Amino acid sequence: MASVRTKESKSTPSVRSVARPVIGINMDVIAERGVTPHLRLNLGYLDAIWAAGGMPLLIPPLRKDSLSELDSLLERLSGVLLTGGADMDPRRNGQSLTAAVHPMPERREEVDRYLLAWIFQRKLPVLGIGVGMQQLNVFAGGTLFLHLPHDNPRAMPHYDHTGAPHRHMVLIEPNTRLQDIYGTPELRVNSMHHQAVHQLGRRMRVAARSPDGVVEAIESTDPNWFCVGVQWHPEDETASALDMQIFECFVQAAARSGSALSVAA
């Protein structure tokens, strides 16, 4: 039987692999009357994590009785990005629900609380944005102003009633992680919130304030834990060019902490 000579294949060029830390991102649940319930996420969050060198992984908001099934997914994460959204239900924290408060759907709040417990227990690198920052503070035992115009009438406007982009300055506290990230004592940010941190949570400190004294950023006092929350939206198209630095520093901290996925570059 004649032997068959196989044609040697040409050597393929080597593919450079880049290890990207896996960053979990929670999603907003939309459950409005007359609208089919669905999920929503600003693509700016994904794009910012990817541009900073991370691999975004969406965390599904499972039903309350299935949340433990998330554990195998959460174990793959090197960090978590807590996104913006509607308000937390103040009744869960001993405060009254008023007409000015617009609670997020219970399904999102349940999965976010499960996620926060996971983050705090493991000191997983975390970046909280908008209500994500407020969630970090409340989970740490802090409280919120539920509606700035009512609870803190001396506060300047922090959002535009018409929905138009609104911006103001923030003053970054010296000797904070946030100062290391931005490298500047002042920053002009977008602003679209009506709630704000009132009493700080345990082992949290103020990282930035607006000129009226309203807390605009917080961070953990633990120097070994990247736990930062900002009230503005660095992922939004109205953000400053400097805002990319907070995603880069977050992803770098996540890369030092845990698992990564290799992707072709």
Side-chain angles (χ1 to χ4, degrees):
M1 183 176 179
S3 61
V4 178
R5 186 176 181 180
T6 58
K7 184 178 180 181
E8 293 183 5
S9 59
K10 296 181 179 179
S11 60
T12 56
S14 60
V15 177
R16 181 169 60 91
S17 294
V18 177
R20 290 179 174 266
V22 183
I23 307 298
I25 305 177
N26 63 340
M27 292 181 283
D28 213 8
V29 176
I30 307 301
E32 300 169 349
R33 182 175 299 178
V35 177
T36 302
H38 60 281
L39 302 177
R40 180 174 65 191
L41 183 69
N42 185 340
L43 281 173
Y45 293 115
L46 276 75
D47 292 343
I49 291 298
W50 180 265
M55 172 64 75
L57 182 64
L58 303 185
I59 302 172
L62 301 181
R63 294 186 183 277
K64 184 177 180 179
D65 58 1
S66 302
L67 289 178
S68 62
E69 298 296 326
L70 286 175
D71 290 359
S72 59
L73 182 149
L74 299 181
E75 287 170 355
R76 303 175 63 193
L77 304 181
S78 296
V80 173
L81 173 61
L82 295 173
T83 62
D87 305 326
M88 288 180 285
D89 190 335
R91 293 170 295 187
R92 289 175 174 261
N93 304 308
Q95 294 177 281
S96 300
L97 180 64
T98 67
V101 178
H102 304 284
M104 63 179 65
E106 181 181 3
R107 186 158 174 175
R108 170 172 176 178
E109 189 147 10
E110 289 291 346
V111 72
D112 284 359
R113 283 172 173 262
Y114 190 87
L115 188 54
L116 284 157
W118 183 280
I119 292 167
F120 273 73
Q121 182 179 1
R122 292 160 179 79
K123 290 197 172 180
L124 198 63
V126 57
L127 174 60
I129 294 175
V131 75
M133 180 191 95
Q134 297 167 8
Q135 288 175 318
L136 289 173
N137 188 64
V138 170
F139 193 85
T143 62
L144 302 177
F145 288 118
L146 296 184
H147 190 56
L148 282 174
H150 180 268
D151 297 342
N152 187 1
R154 291 180 298 178
M156 65 187 193
H158 284 263
Y159 66 98
D160 191 300
H161 294 276
T162 68
H166 183 72
R167 302 177 72 83
H168 62 68
M169 296 297 297
V170 298
L171 309 175
I172 297 179
E173 296 287 326
N175 303 315
T176 58
R177 185 186 293 271
L178 201 69
Q179 184 188 51
D180 291 339
I181 290 171
Y182 282 100
T184 178
E186 296 182 356
L187 185 68
R188 190 166 179 82
V189 301
N190 55 30
S191 185
M192 51 190 80
H193 64 102
H194 76 109
Q195 296 189 340
V197 167
H198 183 197
Q199 296 176 323
L200 274 176
R202 294 179 295 275
R203 291 179 289 280
M204 291 288 180
R205 66 185 173 203
V206 175
R209 295 181 186 271
S210 52
D212 58 1
V214 169
V215 176
E216 291 286 338
I218 61 173
E219 61 186 41
S220 170
T221 57
D222 184 343
N224 298 314
W225 182 23
F226 189 104
C227 174
V228 176
V230 296
Q231 192 62 77
W232 62 91
H233 285 263
E235 86 291 347
D236 196 79
E237 60 185 10
T238 61
S240 159
L242 286 177
D243 277 318
M244 191 60 206
Q245 294 173 189
I246 197 168
F247 289 106
E248 292 170 348
C249 291
F250 167 51
V251 170
Q252 289 166 13
R256 293 190 294 267
S257 77
S259 60
L261 290 180
S262 292
V263 295

